[in-house]
């Protein structure tokens, strides 16, 4: 996704050349990851010349919640970023599906400084997402644990937490797998570094609860809703053990970037139902929502000027 550098970026209220958006090397965002961010998808609709931006308001609401939890001042920034989303999508030269990343960062002032003495900045990067894969993922259960609520609020999407997620993902990649699933300190399944986890067991759809220390994923909410409306399945939000995951009938993950993606094996344990009818039905329904072939669509359309 990040292999090519975009030409433009939205930075503190305007669209500027990519290389102009800079922070100091000693800033707290560069040094200690003191920032909060979101990942939003814009689906390119060539037939209308629009991006369908999926649930931007929910993402910006979560961004504000992350900033509040981490005591990062953000007065007026959410409104600016909401406008900035439209501005960067109008300005970008990209005519394909994109991943848009609104971020609020601490620019100057030490990390323990009073909120009224630090300065913050904001940017929105916009990258192509690249092609979608239909291949089921192979996952490992990470030896690294999800950072617990007692150490850093899991509800806050902050760069600092992704240093821990990075270790889990590197471990998975080095073991020849595609993705890591992290357990919490109690040994319960939490999430991947970028998506919520679901499993199907004896006809029941199950996903970890927020109280087990996961991000409040927006795609997870959508999938829970789709399972009800499409399949009449009420998702149970309850703790999941590792052995339940190993012996599940179906396993899939759900996140903005991953969309709904089947898991083909976890530590070489394959889910029992190879055809994964429930996961596949939810994947189809989700993709139809995002790509616009199905209503209702929870998306904001950004029409590009000719
Ligand atoms: C740690 C983590 N969990 C879950 C998700 C999925 O969240 P969403 O569906 O809101 O993209 C993400 C993606 O942002 C994430 O980084």
């Amino acid at each position: 996704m990040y292999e090519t550098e975009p030409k433009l970026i939205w930075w503190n209220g305007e669209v500027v050349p990519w290389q102009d958006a800079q922070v100091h090397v000693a800033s707290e965002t560069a040094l200690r990851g003191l920032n909060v961010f979101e990942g939003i998808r814009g689906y390119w609709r060539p037939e209308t010349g629009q991006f369908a931006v999926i649930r931007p308001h929910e993402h910006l609401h979560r961004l504000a919640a992350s900033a509040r939890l981490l005591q990062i001042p953000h007065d007026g920034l959410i409104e600016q970023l909401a406008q900035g989303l439209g501005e960067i999508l109008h300005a970008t030269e990209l005519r394909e599906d994109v991943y848009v990343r609104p971020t609020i960062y601490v620019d100057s002032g030490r990390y323990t400084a009073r909120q009224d003495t630090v300065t913050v900045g904001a940017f929105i990067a916009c990258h192509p997402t690249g092609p979608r894969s239909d291949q089921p993922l192979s996952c490992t259960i990470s030896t690294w644990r999800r950072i617990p609520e007692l150490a850093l609020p899991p509800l806050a999407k902050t760069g600092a937490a992704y240093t821990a997620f990075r270790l889990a993902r590197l471990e998975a990649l080095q073991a020849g797998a595609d993705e890591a699933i992290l357990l919490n300190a109690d040994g319960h399944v939490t999430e991947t570094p970028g998506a919520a986890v679901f499993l199907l067991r004896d006809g029941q759809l199950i996903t970890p609860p927020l109280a087990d220390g996961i991000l409040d994923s927006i795609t997870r909410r959508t999938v829970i809703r789709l399972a009800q409306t499409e399949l009449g399945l009420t998702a149970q939000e309850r703790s999941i053990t590792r052995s339940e995951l190993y012996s599940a009938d179906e396993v899939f993950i759900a996140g903005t970037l991953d969309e709904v993606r089947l898991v083909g094996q976890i530590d070489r344990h394959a889910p029992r139902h190879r055809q994964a009818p429930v996961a596949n039905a939810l994947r189809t329904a989700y993709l139809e929502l995002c790509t616009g072939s199905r209503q209702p669509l929870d998306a904001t359309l950004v029409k590009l000027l000719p």
Side-chain angles (χ1 to χ4, degrees):
M1 181 173 66
Y2 297 111
E3 277 152 24
T4 55
E5 199 168 270
K7 289 199 174 65
L8 299 169
I9 186 167
W10 185 96
W11 186 47
N12 293 331
E14 52 183 334
V15 175
V16 297
W18 178 260
Q19 61 278 7
D20 288 3
Q22 298 199 4
V23 292
H24 196 275
V25 286
S27 65
E28 291 293 349
T29 184
L31 191 66
R32 282 186 260 245
L34 190 48
N35 56 55
V36 289
F37 67 100
E38 279 299 318
I40 307 177
R41 263 199 190 246
Y43 288 88
W44 174 241
R45 304 254 172 96
E47 65 287 359
T48 56
Q50 290 172 314
F51 286 104
V53 185
I54 306 299
R55 306 224 153 137
H57 304 295
E58 282 183 57
H59 280 281
L60 291 178
H61 184 74
R62 188 171 69 187
L63 185 68
S66 297
R68 246 193 334 275
L69 275 167
L70 298 189
Q71 302 189 35
I72 295 176
H74 54 285
D75 276 358
L77 280 183
I78 300 298
E79 297 71 19
Q80 261 195 54
L81 284 162
Q83 201 175 323
L85 275 176
E87 290 168 3
I88 187 67
L89 288 172
H90 276 110
T92 183
E93 74 287 4
L94 298 169
R95 295 291 176 269
E96 58 189 302
D97 294 349
V98 291
Y99 194 54
V100 198
R101 182 154 271 169
T103 304
I104 297 174
Y105 60 90
V106 172
D107 193 16
S108 76
R110 273 182 57 82
Y111 73 148
T112 47
R114 278 201 349 245
Q115 280 197 51
D116 57 355
T117 63
V118 303
T119 65
V120 293
F123 70 83
I124 309 174
C126 178
H127 300 271
T129 54
R132 172 177 301 123
S133 170
D134 287 334
Q135 287 304 308
L137 290 167
S138 71
C139 294
T140 54
I141 300 287
S142 180
T143 62
W144 297 99
R145 298 296 167 109
R146 173 70 167 96
I147 297 182
E149 168 81 29
L150 288 171
L152 186 69
L155 293 181
K157 192 167 163 61
T158 171
Y162 287 77
T163 294
F165 283 133
R166 173 176 173 269
L167 286 178
R169 188 170 278 165
L170 284 178
E171 182 185 54
L173 295 175
Q174 285 157 9
D178 303 312
E179 185 56 295
I181 295 175
L182 291 96
L183 306 180
N184 65 16
D186 296 325
H188 297 147
V189 173
T190 61
E191 59 190 341
T192 78
V197 174
F198 284 82
L199 66 81
L200 196 86
R201 201 175 151 74
D202 298 330
Q204 301 208 303
L205 184 64
I206 312 167
T207 192
L210 296 189
D212 273 348
I214 59 170
L215 186 71
D216 186 1
S217 153
I218 290 156
T219 319
R220 174 180 175 276
R221 290 188 211 154
T222 307
V223 167
I224 289 174
R225 216 175 337 132
L226 278 176
Q228 187 72 67
T229 54
E230 295 293 308
L231 307 172
L233 280 175
T234 305
Q236 286 182 30
E237 298 181 50
R238 67 149 174 87
S239 297
I240 296 174
T241 62
R242 175 188 195 130
S243 50
E244 281 183 298
L245 206 55
Y246 285 168
S247 60
D249 296 331
E250 299 183 34
V251 181
F252 64 93
I253 62 169
T256 297
L257 199 54
D258 289 298
E259 300 167 318
V260 174
R261 188 97 189 259
L262 272 61
V263 173
Q265 52 171 292
I266 309 115
D267 293 337
R268 305 195 191 287
H269 297 264
R272 288 197 314 136
H273 297 168
R274 295 231 164 230
Q275 301 305 319
V278 170
N280 269 312
L282 289 170
R283 175 177 161 87
T284 303
Y286 183 76
L287 292 179
E288 284 176 359
L289 273 182
C290 293
T291 54
S293 53
R294 170 193 293 247
Q295 297 294 339
L297 177 72
D298 288 331
T300 299
L301 294 178
V302 176
K303 191 164 179 58
L304 298 189
L305 300 174

